[in-house]
Coordinates of all heavy atoms in Angstrom, one line a residue:
M1036 N -26.0 -63.7 21.4 CA -25.2 -62.9 22.3 C -26.2 -62.1 23.1 O -27.1 -61.5 22.6 CB -24.4 -61.9 21.4 CG -23.1 -61.6 22.1 SD -22.2 -60.7 20.8 CE -20.8 -60.4 21.7
P1037 N -25.9 -62.0 24.4 CA -26.9 -61.3 25.3 C -26.7 -59.8 25.1 O -25.6 -59.3 24.8 CB -26.5 -61.8 26.7 CG -25.1 -62.3 26.6 CD -24.9 -62.8 25.2
E1038 N -27.8 -59.1 25.3 CA -27.8 -57.7 25.2 C -27.1 -57.1 26.5 O -27.3 -57.5 27.6 CB -29.2 -57.1 25.2 CG -29.3 -55.7 24.9 CD -30.7 -55.2 24.7 OE1 -31.5 -55.9 24.0 OE2 -31.0 -54.2 25.3
I1039 N -26.3 -56.1 26.2 CA -25.5 -55.4 27.3 C -26.3 -54.3 27.8 O -26.8 -53.4 27.1 CB -24.1 -54.9 26.8 CG1 -23.3 -56.1 26.3 CG2 -23.4 -54.2 27.9 CD1 -22.0 -55.7 25.7
T1040 N -26.6 -54.3 29.1 CA -27.3 -53.2 29.8 C -26.3 -52.5 30.7 O -25.2 -53.0 31.0 CB -28.5 -53.7 30.5 OG1 -28.0 -54.6 31.5 CG2 -29.5 -54.4 29.6
E1041 N -26.7 -51.4 31.2 CA -25.8 -50.6 32.0 C -25.4 -51.3 33.3 O -24.3 -51.2 33.7 CB -26.5 -49.3 32.4 CG -25.5 -48.3 33.0 CD -26.1 -46.9 33.2 OE1 -26.9 -46.5 32.3 OE2 -25.8 -46.3 34.2
G1042 N -26.3 -52.1 33.9 CA -25.9 -52.8 35.1 C -25.2 -54.1 34.8 O -24.5 -54.6 35.7
S1043 N -25.2 -54.6 33.6 CA -24.6 -55.9 33.4 C -23.2 -55.9 32.9 O -22.5 -56.9 33.0 CB -25.4 -56.7 32.3 OG -25.3 -56.0 31.1
C1044 N -22.7 -54.7 32.5 CA -21.3 -54.6 32.0 C -20.6 -53.5 32.8 O -21.0 -52.3 32.7 CB -21.3 -54.3 30.5 SG -19.6 -54.2 29.9
Q1045 N -19.5 -53.8 33.4 CA -18.7 -52.8 34.1 C -17.9 -51.9 33.2 O -17.5 -50.8 33.6 CB -17.8 -53.5 35.1 CG -18.5 -54.3 36.2 CD -17.6 -55.1 37.1 OE1 -16.4 -55.0 36.9 NE2 -18.1 -55.8 38.1
L1046 N -17.6 -52.4 32.0 CA -16.8 -51.6 31.1 C -17.6 -50.7 30.2 O -17.0 -49.9 29.4 CB -16.0 -52.6 30.2 CG -15.0 -53.5 30.9 CD1 -14.3 -54.4 29.9 CD2 -13.9 -52.6 31.6
L1047 N -18.9 -50.7 30.3 CA -19.8 -49.9 29.4 C -19.5 -48.4 29.6 O -19.3 -47.7 28.5 CB -21.3 -50.1 29.7 CG -22.2 -49.5 28.8 CD1 -22.0 -50.0 27.3 CD2 -23.7 -49.8 29.2
P1048 N -19.3 -47.8 30.8 CA -18.9 -46.4 30.8 C -17.6 -46.1 30.1 O -17.4 -45.1 29.5 CB -18.8 -46.1 32.3 CG -19.6 -47.2 33.0 CD -19.5 -48.4 32.1
R1049 N -16.6 -47.0 30.3 CA -15.3 -46.8 29.6 C -15.5 -46.9 28.1 O -14.8 -46.1 27.4 CB -14.3 -47.9 30.1 CG -13.0 -47.8 29.5 CD -12.2 -46.6 30.0 NE -10.9 -46.6 29.5 CZ -10.3 -45.5 29.0 NH1 -10.9 -44.3 29.1 NH2 -9.1 -45.6 28.5
I1050 N -16.3 -47.8 27.6 CA -16.5 -48.0 26.2 C -17.2 -46.7 25.6 O -16.8 -46.2 24.6 CB -17.4 -49.2 25.9 CG1 -16.6 -50.5 26.2 CG2 -17.9 -49.2 24.4 CD1 -17.4 -51.7 26.1
E1051 N -18.2 -46.2 26.3 CA -18.8 -45.0 25.9 C -17.9 -43.8 25.9 O -17.9 -42.9 25.0 CB -20.1 -44.7 26.8 CG -21.2 -45.7 26.6 CD -22.3 -45.5 27.6 OE1 -22.1 -44.8 28.6 OE2 -23.4 -46.1 27.3
A1052 N -17.0 -43.7 26.9 CA -16.0 -42.6 26.9 C -15.1 -42.7 25.8 O -14.7 -41.7 25.2 CB -15.3 -42.7 28.3
L1053 N -14.6 -44.0 25.4 CA -13.7 -44.2 24.3 C -14.4 -43.8 23.0 O -13.8 -43.2 22.1 CB -13.2 -45.6 24.3 CG -12.2 -46.0 25.3 CD1 -11.9 -47.5 25.3 CD2 -10.9 -45.2 25.2
E1054 N -15.7 -44.2 22.8 CA -16.4 -43.8 21.6 C -16.6 -42.3 21.5 O -16.4 -41.7 20.4 CB -17.8 -44.5 21.6 CG -17.8 -46.0 21.4 CD -19.1 -46.6 21.5 OE1 -20.1 -46.0 22.0 OE2 -19.2 -47.8 21.0
A1055 N -16.8 -41.6 22.6 CA -16.9 -40.1 22.6 C -15.5 -39.5 22.2 O -15.4 -38.6 21.4 CB -17.4 -39.6 23.9
E1056 N -14.5 -40.1 22.7 CA -13.1 -39.6 22.4 C -12.8 -39.9 21.0 O -12.2 -39.0 20.3 CB -12.1 -40.3 23.3 CG -10.7 -39.7 23.2 CD -9.7 -40.4 24.2 OE1 -10.2 -40.9 25.2 OE2 -8.5 -40.3 23.9
V1057 N -13.2 -41.0 20.4 CA -13.0 -41.3 19.0 C -13.7 -40.3 18.1 O -13.1 -39.7 17.2 CB -13.4 -42.7 18.7 CG1 -13.5 -42.9 17.2 CG2 -12.4 -43.7 19.3
L1058 N -14.9 -40.0 18.5 CA -15.7 -39.0 17.7 C -15.0 -37.6 17.8 O -14.9 -36.9 16.8 CB -17.1 -38.9 18.3 CG -18.1 -37.9 17.5 CD1 -18.2 -38.3 16.1 CD2 -19.4 -37.9 18.2
H1059 N -14.6 -37.2 19.0 CA -13.9 -36.0 19.2 C -12.6 -35.9 18.3 O -12.3 -34.9 17.7 CB -13.5 -35.7 20.6 CG -12.8 -34.5 20.9 ND1 -11.4 -34.4 20.9 CD2 -13.2 -33.2 21.1 CE1 -11.0 -33.2 21.1 NE2 -12.1 -32.4 21.3
N1060 N -11.9 -37.0 18.3 CA -10.6 -37.1 17.5 C -10.9 -37.0 16.0 O -10.1 -36.4 15.3 CB -9.8 -38.4 17.8 CG -9.2 -38.3 19.2 OD1 -9.0 -37.3 19.8 ND2 -8.9 -39.5 19.7
K1061 N -12.0 -37.6 15.6 CA -12.4 -37.5 14.1 C -12.6 -36.1 13.8 O -12.1 -35.6 12.7 CB -13.6 -38.3 13.9 CG -13.4 -39.8 13.7 CD -14.8 -40.4 13.3 CE -14.6 -41.9 13.0 NZ -15.9 -42.5 12.6
N1062 N -13.3 -35.4 14.6 CA -13.6 -34.0 14.3 C -12.3 -33.1 14.4 O -12.1 -32.3 13.5 CB -14.6 -33.4 15.3 CG -16.0 -34.0 15.1 OD1 -16.3 -34.5 14.0 ND2 -16.8 -34.0 16.2
A1063 N -11.5 -33.4 15.3 CA -10.2 -32.7 15.4 C -9.3 -33.0 14.2 O -8.7 -32.1 13.6 CB -9.4 -33.1 16.7
H1064 N -9.3 -34.2 13.7 CA -8.6 -34.6 12.5 C -9.1 -33.9 11.3 O -8.4 -33.4 10.4 CB -8.5 -36.1 12.3 CG -7.7 -36.8 13.2 ND1 -8.0 -38.1 13.7 CD2 -6.5 -36.5 13.8 CE1 -7.1 -38.5 14.5 NE2 -6.2 -37.5 14.6
K1065 N -10.4 -33.8 11.1 CA -11.0 -33.1 10.0 C -10.6 -31.6 10.0 O -10.3 -31.0 9.0 CB -12.6 -33.2 10.1 CG -13.1 -34.5 9.6 CD -14.6 -34.5 9.7 CE -15.2 -35.9 9.4 NZ -16.6 -36.0 9.5
E1066 N -10.6 -31.0 11.2 CA -10.2 -29.6 11.3 C -8.8 -29.4 11.0 O -8.4 -28.5 10.3 CB -10.5 -29.1 12.8 CG -10.2 -27.6 12.9 CD -10.5 -27.2 14.4 OE1 -11.2 -27.8 15.1 OE2 -9.9 -26.1 14.7
I1067 N -7.9 -30.3 11.4 CA -6.5 -30.2 11.1 C -6.2 -30.3 9.6 O -5.5 -29.6 9.0 CB -5.7 -31.3 11.9 CG1 -5.6 -30.9 13.4 CG2 -4.3 -31.4 11.3 CD1 -5.1 -32.0 14.3
Y1068 N -6.9 -31.3 9.0 CA -6.7 -31.5 7.5 C -7.3 -30.3 6.8 O -6.7 -29.9 5.7 CB -7.4 -32.8 7.1 CG -6.6 -34.0 7.5 CD1 -7.2 -35.1 8.2 CD2 -5.3 -34.2 7.2 CE1 -6.5 -36.2 8.6 CE2 -4.5 -35.3 7.6 CZ -5.2 -36.3 8.3 OH -4.5 -37.4 8.7
S1069 N -8.4 -29.7 7.3 CA -8.9 -28.5 6.6 C -7.9 -27.4 6.7 O -7.7 -26.7 5.7 CB -10.2 -28.2 7.3 OG -10.7 -26.9 6.8
R1070 N -7.3 -27.2 7.9 CA -6.3 -26.2 8.0 C -5.1 -26.4 7.1 O -4.5 -25.5 6.6 CB -5.9 -26.0 9.5 CG -7.0 -25.4 10.3 CD -6.5 -25.2 11.8 NE -7.6 -24.7 12.6 CZ -7.4 -24.4 13.9 NH1 -6.2 -24.7 14.5 NH2 -8.4 -24.0 14.6
L1071 N -4.7 -27.7 7.0 CA -3.5 -28.0 6.2 C -3.8 -27.7 4.7 O -3.0 -27.2 4.0 CB -3.2 -29.5 6.3 CG -2.4 -29.9 7.5 CD1 -2.3 -31.4 7.6 CD2 -1.0 -29.2 7.5
E1072 N -5.1 -28.0 4.3 CA -5.5 -27.7 2.9 C -5.4 -26.2 2.7 O -4.9 -25.7 1.6 CB -6.8 -28.2 2.6 CG -7.3 -28.1 1.2 CD -8.6 -28.7 0.9 OE1 -9.0 -29.7 1.6 OE2 -9.3 -28.3 0.0
V1073 N -5.9 -25.4 3.6 CA -5.9 -23.9 3.5 C -4.5 -23.4 3.4 O -4.1 -22.6 2.6 CB -6.7 -23.3 4.6 CG1 -6.5 -21.8 4.7 CG2 -8.2 -23.6 4.5
S1074 N -3.7 -24.0 4.3 CA -2.2 -23.6 4.4 C -1.5 -24.0 3.0 O -0.7 -23.2 2.5 CB -1.6 -24.3 5.5 OG -0.2 -24.0 5.5
S1075 N -1.9 -25.1 2.5 CA -1.2 -25.5 1.2 C -1.7 -24.6 0.1 O -0.8 -24.2 -0.7 CB -1.7 -27.0 0.9 OG -1.2 -27.3 -0.3
T1076 N -2.9 -24.2 0.1 CA -3.4 -23.3 -0.9 C -2.7 -21.9 -0.8 O -2.3 -21.3 -1.8 CB -4.9 -23.1 -0.8 OG1 -5.5 -24.4 -1.0 CG2 -5.5 -22.2 -1.9
A1077 N -2.6 -21.5 0.4 CA -2.0 -20.2 0.7 C -0.5 -20.2 0.3 O 0.0 -19.3 -0.3 CB -2.1 -19.8 2.2
S1078 N 0.1 -21.3 0.5 CA 1.5 -21.5 0.1 C 1.7 -21.4 -1.4 O 2.6 -20.8 -1.9 CB 2.1 -22.8 0.7 OG 3.4 -23.0 0.3
A1079 N 0.8 -22.1 -2.1 CA 0.8 -22.1 -3.6 C 0.6 -20.7 -4.1 O 1.3 -20.2 -5.0 CB -0.2 -23.0 -4.1
V1080 N -0.3 -19.9 -3.5 CA -0.5 -18.5 -3.9 C 0.7 -17.7 -3.6 O 1.1 -16.9 -4.5 CB -1.8 -17.9 -3.2 CG1 -1.9 -16.4 -3.4 CG2 -3.0 -18.6 -3.7
F1081 N 1.3 -17.9 -2.5 CA 2.5 -17.1 -2.1 C 3.6 -17.5 -3.1 O 4.4 -16.6 -3.5 CB 2.9 -17.5 -0.7 CG 4.2 -16.8 -0.2 CD1 4.2 -15.5 0.1 CD2 5.4 -17.5 -0.2 CE1 5.3 -14.9 0.5 CE2 6.5 -16.9 0.2 CZ 6.5 -15.6 0.6
D1082 N 3.8 -18.7 -3.4 CA 4.9 -19.1 -4.4 C 4.7 -18.5 -5.7 O 5.6 -18.0 -6.4 CB 4.9 -20.6 -4.5 CG 5.5 -21.3 -3.3 OD1 6.1 -20.7 -2.5 OD2 5.3 -22.6 -3.2
E1083 N 3.4 -18.4 -6.2 CA 3.1 -17.8 -7.5 C 3.4 -16.3 -7.4 O 4.0 -15.7 -8.4 CB 1.6 -18.0 -7.8 CG 1.2 -17.3 -9.1 CD 1.9 -17.8 -10.3 OE1 2.5 -19.0 -10.3 OE2 2.0 -17.1 -11.3
K1084 N 3.0 -15.6 -6.4 CA 3.3 -14.2 -6.2 C 4.8 -14.0 -6.2 O 5.3 -13.0 -6.8 CB 2.6 -13.6 -5.0 CG 1.2 -13.4 -5.2 CD 0.5 -12.8 -4.0 CE -1.0 -12.6 -4.2 NZ -1.6 -11.9 -3.1
L1085 N 5.5 -14.8 -5.5 CA 7.0 -14.7 -5.4 C 7.6 -14.9 -6.7 O 8.6 -14.1 -7.1 CB 7.5 -15.7 -4.4 CG 9.0 -15.6 -4.0 CD1 9.3 -14.3 -3.4 CD2 9.4 -16.8 -3.1
R1086 N 7.1 -15.8 -7.5 CA 7.6 -16.0 -8.9 C 7.4 -14.8 -9.8 O 8.3 -14.3 -10.5 CB 7.0 -17.2 -9.5 CG 7.6 -17.6 -10.9 CD 6.8 -18.6 -11.6 NE 5.5 -18.2 -11.9 CZ 5.1 -17.3 -12.9 NH1 6.0 -16.8 -13.6 NH2 3.9 -17.0 -13.1
Q1087 N 6.2 -14.2 -9.6 CA 5.9 -13.0 -10.4 C 6.8 -11.8 -10.0 O 7.3 -11.1 -10.8 CB 4.4 -12.6 -10.2 CG 3.4 -13.5 -10.8 CD 2.0 -13.1 -10.5 OE1 1.8 -12.3 -9.6 NE2 1.1 -13.7 -11.2
I1088 N 7.1 -11.7 -8.7 CA 8.0 -10.6 -8.2 C 9.4 -10.9 -8.8 O 10.1 -9.9 -9.2 CB 8.0 -10.6 -6.7 CG1 6.7 -10.0 -6.2 CG2 9.1 -9.7 -6.2 CD1 6.5 -10.2 -4.7
K1089 N 9.8 -12.1 -8.8 CA 11.1 -12.4 -9.3 C 11.2 -12.1 -10.8 O 12.2 -11.5 -11.3 CB 11.4 -13.9 -9.1 CG 12.8 -14.3 -9.5 CD 13.0 -15.8 -9.3 CE 14.4 -16.2 -9.8 NZ 14.6 -17.7 -9.7
D1090 N 10.2 -12.4 -11.6 CA 10.2 -12.1 -13.0 C 10.2 -10.6 -13.2 O 10.9 -10.1 -14.1 CB 8.9 -12.7 -13.7 CG 9.0 -14.3 -13.7 OD1 10.1 -14.8 -13.5 OD2 7.9 -14.9 -14.0
D1091 N 9.4 -9.9 -12.4 CA 9.4 -8.4 -12.6 C 10.7 -7.8 -12.2 O 11.2 -6.9 -12.9 CB 8.3 -7.8 -11.7 CG 6.9 -8.2 -12.2 OD1 6.7 -8.6 -13.3 OD2 5.9 -8.0 -11.4
T1092 N 11.3 -8.4 -11.2 CA 12.7 -7.8 -10.8 C 13.7 -8.1 -11.9 O 14.5 -7.2 -12.2 CB 13.1 -8.5 -9.5 OG1 12.1 -8.3 -8.5 CG2 14.4 -8.0 -9.0
Q1093 N 13.7 -9.2 -12.5 CA 14.6 -9.5 -13.6 C 14.4 -8.6 -14.8 O 15.3 -8.1 -15.4 CB 14.5 -10.9 -14.0 CG 15.1 -11.9 -13.0 CD 14.9 -13.4 -13.4 OE1 14.1 -13.7 -14.3 NE2 15.6 -14.2 -12.7
E1094 N 13.1 -8.3 -15.1 CA 12.8 -7.4 -16.2 C 13.2 -6.0 -15.8 O 13.8 -5.3 -16.7 CB 11.3 -7.4 -16.4 CG 10.8 -6.6 -17.5 CD 9.3 -6.7 -17.7 OE1 8.7 -7.7 -17.5 OE2 8.7 -5.6 -18.2
I1095 N 13.1 -5.6 -14.6 CA 13.5 -4.2 -14.2 C 15.0 -4.1 -14.3 O 15.6 -3.1 -14.7 CB 13.0 -3.9 -12.8 CG1 11.5 -3.7 -12.8 CG2 13.7 -2.7 -12.2 CD1 10.8 -3.6 -11.4
K1096 N 15.7 -5.2 -13.8 CA 17.2 -5.2 -13.9 C 17.7 -5.0 -15.4 O 18.6 -4.2 -15.6 CB 17.8 -6.5 -13.3 CG 17.8 -6.5 -11.8 CD 18.5 -7.8 -11.4 CE 18.7 -7.9 -9.9 NZ 19.3 -9.2 -9.5
A1097 N 17.0 -5.7 -16.3 CA 17.4 -5.7 -17.7 C 17.2 -4.2 -18.2 O 18.0 -3.7 -18.9 CB 16.6 -6.7 -18.5
T1098 N 16.0 -3.6 -17.9 CA 15.7 -2.3 -18.3 C 16.7 -1.3 -17.8 O 17.2 -0.4 -18.5 CB 14.3 -1.9 -17.9 OG1 13.4 -2.9 -18.4 CG2 13.9 -0.5 -18.4
V1099 N 17.1 -1.4 -16.5 CA 18.0 -0.5 -15.9 C 19.4 -0.6 -16.5 O 20.1 0.4 -16.8 CB 18.1 -0.7 -14.3 CG1 19.3 0.0 -13.7 CG2 16.8 -0.3 -13.7
Q1100 N 19.8 -1.9 -16.8 CA 21.1 -2.1 -17.4 C 21.1 -1.5 -18.8 O 22.1 -0.8 -19.2 CB 21.4 -3.6 -17.5 CG 22.8 -3.9 -18.1 CD 23.9 -3.4 -17.1 OE1 23.7 -3.4 -15.9 NE2 25.0 -3.1 -17.7
E1101 N 20.0 -1.6 -19.6 CA 19.9 -1.0 -20.9 C 20.0 0.5 -20.8 O 20.7 1.1 -21.6 CB 18.6 -1.4 -21.5 CG 18.4 -0.9 -22.9 CD 17.0 -1.4 -23.5 OE1 16.7 -2.6 -23.3 OE2 16.3 -0.5 -24.0
M1102 N 19.3 1.1 -19.8 CA 19.4 2.5 -19.7 C 20.8 3.0 -19.2 O 21.2 4.1 -19.6 CB 18.3 2.9 -18.6 CG 16.9 2.7 -19.1 SD 15.7 3.0 -17.8 CE 15.7 4.8 -17.7
K1103 N 21.5 2.2 -18.5 CA 22.8 2.6 -18.1 C 23.8 2.6 -19.3 O 24.7 3.4 -19.4 CB 23.4 1.6 -17.0 CG 22.8 1.9 -15.6 CD 23.2 0.8 -14.6 CE 24.7 0.5 -14.5 NZ 25.0 -0.4 -13.5
E1104 N 23.6 1.7 -20.2 CA 24.4 1.6 -21.4 C 24.1 2.6 -22.4 O 25.0 2.9 -23.2 CB 24.3 0.2 -22.0 CG 24.8 -0.9 -21.1 CD 24.5 -2.3 -21.6 OE1 23.9 -2.5 -22.6 OE2 25.0 -3.3 -21.0
R1105 N 22.9 3.1 -22.4 CA 22.5 4.1 -23.5 C 23.4 5.3 -23.6 O 23.9 5.7 -24.6 CB 21.1 4.5 -23.3 CG 20.4 5.0 -24.5 CD 19.0 5.3 -24.4 NE 18.2 4.0 -24.2 CZ 17.0 3.9 -23.8 NH1 16.4 5.0 -23.4 NH2 16.4 2.7 -23.7
P1106 N 23.7 6.0 -22.5 CA 24.6 7.2 -22.6 C 26.0 6.8 -23.1 O 26.6 7.6 -23.8 CB 24.7 7.8 -21.2 CG 23.5 7.2 -20.5 CD 23.2 5.9 -21.1
G1107 N 26.5 5.7 -22.7 CA 27.8 5.3 -23.2 C 27.8 5.1 -24.7 O 28.8 5.4 -25.4
K1108 N 26.7 4.5 -25.2 CA 26.6 4.3 -26.7 C 26.5 5.6 -27.4 O 27.1 5.8 -28.5 CB 25.4 3.5 -27.0 CG 25.5 2.0 -26.6 CD 24.2 1.2 -26.9 CE 24.4 -0.2 -26.4 NZ 23.1 -0.9 -26.6
R1109 N 25.8 6.6 -26.8 CA 25.7 7.9 -27.4 C 27.1 8.6 -27.5 O 27.4 9.2 -28.4 CB 24.7 8.8 -26.6 CG 23.3 8.4 -26.8 CD 22.4 9.3 -26.1 NE 21.0 8.8 -26.1 CZ 20.1 9.1 -25.3 NH1 20.3 10.0 -24.3 NH2 18.8 8.7 -25.4
W1110 N 27.8 8.5 -26.4 CA 29.1 9.1 -26.3 C 30.0 8.5 -27.3 O 30.8 9.2 -28.0 CB 29.7 9.0 -24.9 CG 31.1 9.6 -24.8 CD1 32.2 8.9 -24.6 CD2 31.4 10.9 -24.8 NE1 33.3 9.7 -24.6 CE2 32.8 11.0 -24.7 CE3 30.7 12.1 -24.9 CZ2 33.5 12.2 -24.7 CZ3 31.4 13.3 -24.9 CH2 32.7 13.4 -24.8
D1111 N 30.0 7.1 -27.4 CA 30.9 6.4 -28.4 C 30.5 6.9 -29.8 O 31.4 7.1 -30.6 CB 30.7 4.9 -28.3 CG 31.3 4.4 -27.0 OD1 32.1 5.1 -26.4 OD2 30.9 3.2 -26.7
G1112 N 29.2 7.0 -30.1 CA 28.8 7.5 -31.4 C 29.3 8.9 -31.7 O 29.7 9.2 -32.8
L1113 N 29.2 9.8 -30.7 CA 29.6 11.2 -30.8 C 31.1 11.2 -31.1 O 31.6 12.0 -32.0 CB 29.2 12.0 -29.6 CG 29.6 13.4 -29.6 CD1 28.8 14.1 -30.7 CD2 29.2 14.1 -28.3
V1114 N 31.9 10.5 -30.3 CA 33.4 10.5 -30.5 C 33.7 9.9 -31.9 O 34.6 10.5 -32.6 CB 34.0 9.6 -29.4 CG1 35.5 9.3 -29.7 CG2 33.9 10.3 -28.1
E1115 N 33.0 8.9 -32.3 CA 33.3 8.3 -33.7 C 33.0 9.4 -34.8 O 33.8 9.5 -35.7 CB 32.4 7.1 -33.9 CG 32.7 6.4 -35.2 CD 31.8 5.2 -35.4 OE1 31.1 4.8 -34.4 OE2 31.9 4.6 -36.5
K1116 N 31.9 10.1 -34.7 CA 31.6 11.1 -35.7 C 32.6 12.2 -35.6 O 32.9 12.8 -36.7 CB 30.2 11.6 -35.4 CG 29.1 10.5 -35.8 CD 27.7 11.0 -35.5 CE 26.7 10.0 -35.9 NZ 26.0 9.3 -34.8
A1117 N 33.0 12.6 -34.5 CA 34.0 13.7 -34.4 C 35.3 13.3 -35.0 O 36.0 14.1 -35.7 CB 34.2 14.0 -32.9
L1118 N 35.7 12.0 -34.8 CA 37.0 11.5 -35.4 C 36.8 11.5 -36.9 O 37.8 11.9 -37.7 CB 37.3 10.1 -34.9 CG 37.9 10.0 -33.5 CD1 38.0 8.6 -33.1 CD2 39.2 10.7 -33.4
W1119 N 35.7 11.1 -37.4 CA 35.5 11.1 -38.9 C 35.5 12.5 -39.4 O 36.1 12.8 -40.5 CB 34.1 10.4 -39.2 CG 34.2 8.9 -39.3 CD1 33.7 8.1 -38.4 CD2 34.8 8.1 -40.3 NE1 33.9 6.8 -38.8 CE2 34.6 6.8 -39.9 CE3 35.5 8.4 -41.5 CZ2 35.1 5.7 -40.7 CZ3 36.0 7.4 -42.2 CH2 35.8 6.1 -41.8
A1120 N 35.0 13.4 -38.7 CA 35.0 14.8 -39.1 C 36.4 15.4 -39.2 O 36.8 16.1 -40.1 CB 34.1 15.7 -38.2
V1121 N 37.2 15.1 -38.1 CA 38.6 15.5 -38.1 C 39.4 14.9 -39.3 O 40.2 15.6 -39.9 CB 39.2 15.2 -36.7 CG1 40.7 15.4 -36.8 CG2 38.6 16.0 -35.6
C1122 N 39.2 13.6 -39.5 CA 39.9 12.9 -40.6 C 39.5 13.5 -41.9 O 40.3 13.7 -42.8 CB 39.6 11.4 -40.6 SG 40.3 10.5 -39.2
A1123 N 38.2 13.8 -42.1 CA 37.7 14.4 -43.3 C 38.4 15.8 -43.5 O 38.8 16.2 -44.6 CB 36.2 14.5 -43.4
A1124 N 38.4 16.5 -42.4 CA 39.0 17.9 -42.5 C 40.5 17.8 -42.9 O 41.0 18.6 -43.7 CB 38.8 18.6 -41.2
V1125 N 41.2 16.9 -42.3 CA 42.7 16.7 -42.6 C 42.9 16.3 -44.0 O 43.7 16.8 -44.7 CB 43.3 15.7 -41.6 CG1 44.7 15.3 -42.0 CG2 43.3 16.2 -40.2
I1126 N 42.1 15.3 -44.5 CA 42.2 14.9 -45.9 C 41.8 16.0 -46.8 O 42.5 16.2 -47.8 CB 41.3 13.7 -46.1 CG1 41.8 12.5 -45.3 CG2 41.1 13.4 -47.6 CD1 40.9 11.2 -45.4
A1127 N 40.8 16.8 -46.5 CA 40.4 17.9 -47.4 C 41.5 19.0 -47.4 O 41.8 19.5 -48.5 CB 39.1 18.5 -46.9
F1128 N 42.1 19.2 -46.2 CA 43.2 20.2 -46.2 C 44.4 19.7 -47.0 O 45.0 20.5 -47.8 CB 43.7 20.4 -44.7 CG 44.8 21.3 -44.5 CD1 44.7 22.6 -44.7 CD2 46.1 20.8 -44.3 CE1 45.8 23.5 -44.5 CE2 47.2 21.6 -44.1 CZ 47.0 23.0 -44.2
M1129 N 44.8 18.4 -46.9 CA 45.9 17.9 -47.7 C 45.6 17.9 -49.2 O 46.5 18.2 -50.0 CB 46.2 16.5 -47.2 CG 46.7 16.4 -45.7 SD 47.2 14.8 -45.2 CE 48.9 14.7 -45.7
L1130 N 44.4 17.6 -49.5 CA 44.0 17.6 -50.9 C 44.1 19.1 -51.4 O 44.4 19.3 -52.6 CB 42.6 17.0 -51.2 CG 42.6 15.5 -51.0 CD1 41.1 15.0 -51.2 CD2 43.4 14.8 -52.1
G1131 N 43.7 20.0 -50.6 CA 43.7 21.4 -51.0 C 45.2 21.9 -51.2 O 45.4 22.7 -52.1
R1132 N 46.1 21.4 -50.4 CA 47.5 21.8 -50.5 C 48.1 21.2 -51.8 O 49.0 21.8 -52.3 CB 48.3 21.2 -49.3 CG 48.1 22.0 -48.0 CD 48.8 23.3 -48.2 NE 49.1 23.8 -46.9 CZ 49.7 25.0 -46.8 NH1 50.1 25.6 -47.8 NH2 50.0 25.4 -45.6
L1133 N 47.6 20.0 -52.1 CA 48.1 19.4 -53.3 C 47.5 20.0 -54.6 O 47.9 19.7 -55.7 CB 47.8 17.8 -53.3 CG 48.6 17.1 -52.3 CD1 48.1 15.6 -52.3 CD2 50.1 17.1 -52.6
G1134 N 46.5 20.7 -54.4 CA 45.8 21.4 -55.6 C 44.7 20.6 -56.2 O 44.3 20.9 -57.3
L1135 N 44.2 19.7 -55.5 CA 43.1 18.9 -56.0 C 41.8 19.4 -55.6 O 41.1 19.7 -54.9 CB 43.3 17.4 -55.6 CG 44.5 16.7 -56.2 CD1 44.6 15.3 -55.6 CD2 44.4 16.6 -57.7

């Protein structure tokens, strides 16, 4: 095959331009893939933080619900004890009337 020189081939400038464009495109593709990798990593970190926030929120909701129920339980316990005291007083009164 004969050697191609600048004067012997009319397509040589076009070939060189295409080779330069291919090299430029390779570098551009490397940069794009690098950015995609960084974006993917950032997305994974964001997803993890979002999951942690969701878990913390559920834990806070459970704690708040428990705190809301606590006064109701205390009131129920107080009412129950008061009823027992009234019942005991009535029974003691009736037993006293019967002479026991």
Side-chain angles (χ1 to χ4, degrees):
M1036 214 171 182
E1038 188 174 314
I1039 299 175
T1040 61
E1041 192 171 322
S1043 67
C1044 181
Q1045 296 175 359
L1046 296 176
L1047 189 58
R1049 180 71 178 137
I1050 292 171
E1051 289 173 348
L1053 287 172
E1054 287 175 346
E1056 189 175 335
V1057 166
L1058 182 61
H1059 178 270
N1060 288 341
K1061 278 185 179 180
N1062 292 336
H1064 288 144
K1065 284 181 184 178
E1066 184 179 338
I1067 288 171
Y1068 288 127
S1069 174
R1070 288 183 183 182
L1071 282 174
E1072 186 176 332
V1073 169
S1074 176
S1075 176
T1076 303
S1078 177
V1080 169
F1081 178 76
D1082 288 344
E1083 178 61 25
K1084 286 183 179 183
L1085 188 61
R1086 187 191 60 75
Q1087 288 176 348
I1088 290 170
K1089 183 180 176 185
D1090 291 346
D1091 290 345
T1092 302
Q1093 289 175 345
E1094 185 178 326
I1095 290 169
K1096 279 183 178 180
T1098 302
V1099 167
Q1100 186 63 31
E1101 182 181 314
M1102 291 172 75
K1103 282 173 52 178
E1104 292 173 356
R1105 200 175 291 164
K1108 289 179 183 177
R1109 287 181 187 159
W1110 179 253
D1111 290 344
L1113 183 62
V1114 168
E1115 182 180 354
K1116 288 177 178 111
L1118 286 174
W1119 279 106
V1121 168
C1122 288
V1125 168
I1126 291 172
F1128 177 76
M1129 294 181 91
L1130 288 176
R1132 285 288 203 181
L1133 293 173
L1135 296 174

